[in-house]
């Protein structure tokens, strides 16, 4: 995120305010590509401390996601950059939020390319599966929720999943990763050498 904010993405026409907004929407709201592209200035509403991002979700499953005041500041900075870039364009509350370099609503391919470029300039492109650039942000959002103790039901509601089983996968994966991380503790190897294998695993003595 820091590299994006500092303008590390060496695009032909750098736009760090938009890049930060896109990455933030993925990491703190877990939005799908289509959901990002339907956002308007009206999508964020509420008083400081009670703000929510209203999402038109997949399969008409609309939802609202609680966000912190920093998101309002990120959106405000982005809108100010839009006004500077497109001084003749009128921005209404229903205008699509994310725009391309021509001031038109950004397309699916343009959004994917934007995120892919951010990964590349941050040195992370080799860690993300091909074609999963934006979904990787959504996956990180869900995984962090699970790591911080969110229930499957809470994850389902925040991500707009149709099935609780899909959300449960994040919790199960996090549990496996935590066990694997704990098992990699080098002390276990020392204990194995000290104590030896269980009696039923020891070779019989002739």
């Amino acid at each position: 995120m820091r590299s994006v904010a500092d303008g590390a993405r060496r695009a032909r026409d750098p736009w760090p305010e938009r890049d930060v907004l896109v990455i933030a929407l993925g990491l703190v709201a877990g939005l799908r590509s289509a959901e990002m592209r339907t956002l308007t200035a009206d999508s964020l509403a509420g008083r400081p401390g009670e703000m929510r991002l209203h999402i038109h979700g997949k399969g008409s499953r609309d939802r609202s996601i609680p966000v912190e005041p920093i998101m309002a500041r990120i959106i405000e900075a982005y809108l100010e950059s839009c006004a500077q870039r497109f001084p003749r364009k009128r921005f209404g509350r229903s205008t699509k939020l994310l725009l391309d370099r021509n001031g038109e609503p950004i397309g699916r391919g343009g959004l994917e390319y934007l995120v892919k470029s951010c990964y590349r300039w941050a040195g992370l492109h080799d860690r993300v599966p091909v074609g999963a650039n934006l979904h990787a942000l959504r996956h990180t959002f869900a995984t962090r929720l699970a790591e911080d103790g969110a229930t499957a039901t809470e994850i389902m509601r925040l991500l707009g999943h149709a099935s609780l089983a899909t959300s449960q996968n994040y919790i199960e994966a996090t549990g496996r990763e935590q066990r694997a991380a704990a098992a990699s503790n080098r002390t276990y190897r020392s204990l194995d050498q000290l104590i030896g294998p269980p009696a039923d695993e020891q070779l019989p003595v002739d």
Side-chain angles (χ1 to χ4, degrees):
M1 181 68 83
R2 169 56 58 186
S3 64
V4 174
D6 290 343
R9 189 169 82 91
R10 306 302 182 198
R12 185 171 49 195
D13 183 14
W15 195 350
E17 296 86 358
R18 185 188 62 176
D19 296 348
V20 168
L21 175 56
V22 168
I23 300 300
L25 287 171
L27 290 176
V28 306
L31 301 191
R32 302 176 176 96
S33 173
E35 293 170 344
M36 280 196 193
R37 289 182 285 114
T38 60
L39 290 176
T40 67
D42 269 344
S43 297
L44 183 68
R47 298 178 297 179
E50 299 178 2
M51 304 193 81
R52 285 181 169 269
L53 196 61
H54 296 279
I55 311 300
H56 182 62
K58 184 178 180 180
S60 298
R61 290 186 297 274
D62 292 354
R63 66 190 189 280
S64 65
I65 301 173
V67 294
E68 296 301 305
I70 183 61
M71 279 304 301
R73 302 204 322 254
I74 290 174
I75 291 176
E76 182 180 353
Y78 165 70
L79 291 175
E80 288 176 357
S81 74
C82 287
Q84 294 173 359
R85 283 173 169 268
F86 314 112
R88 297 183 180 180
K89 185 177 178 66
R90 296 187 61 182
F91 293 91
R93 299 296 295 178
S94 59
T95 302
K96 289 291 186 290
L97 185 63
L98 294 178
L99 305 178
D100 62 19
R101 290 195 303 267
N102 298 317
E104 300 298 324
I106 195 167
R108 179 179 178 179
L111 186 57
E112 262 310 294
Y113 180 77
L114 185 159
V115 176
K116 181 179 180 180
S117 298
C118 288
Y119 285 145
R120 183 170 64 251
W121 288 108
L124 301 173
H125 61 286
D126 57 344
R127 305 183 197 176
V128 182
V130 176
N133 299 299
L134 197 54
H135 186 76
L137 300 178
R138 179 174 164 85
H139 179 83
T140 299
F141 170 70
T143 300
R144 288 179 176 175
L145 287 175
E147 290 174 345
D148 292 338
T151 66
T153 300
E154 290 168 337
I155 294 173
M156 180 181 73
R157 289 174 178 168
L158 289 170
L159 286 177
H161 284 155
S163 168
L164 187 63
T166 305
S167 305
Q168 184 67 38
N169 289 336
Y170 286 102
I171 294 177
E172 292 175 353
T174 299
R176 288 194 299 271
E177 290 166 0
Q178 289 176 344
R179 175 166 290 278
S184 67
N185 188 329
R186 70 184 66 178
T187 302
Y188 280 119
R189 293 194 292 274
S190 298
L191 291 173
D192 282 338
Q193 294 171 0
L194 178 66
I195 305 301
D200 58 356
E201 291 185 11
Q202 295 178 358
L203 294 175
V205 178
D206 292 334

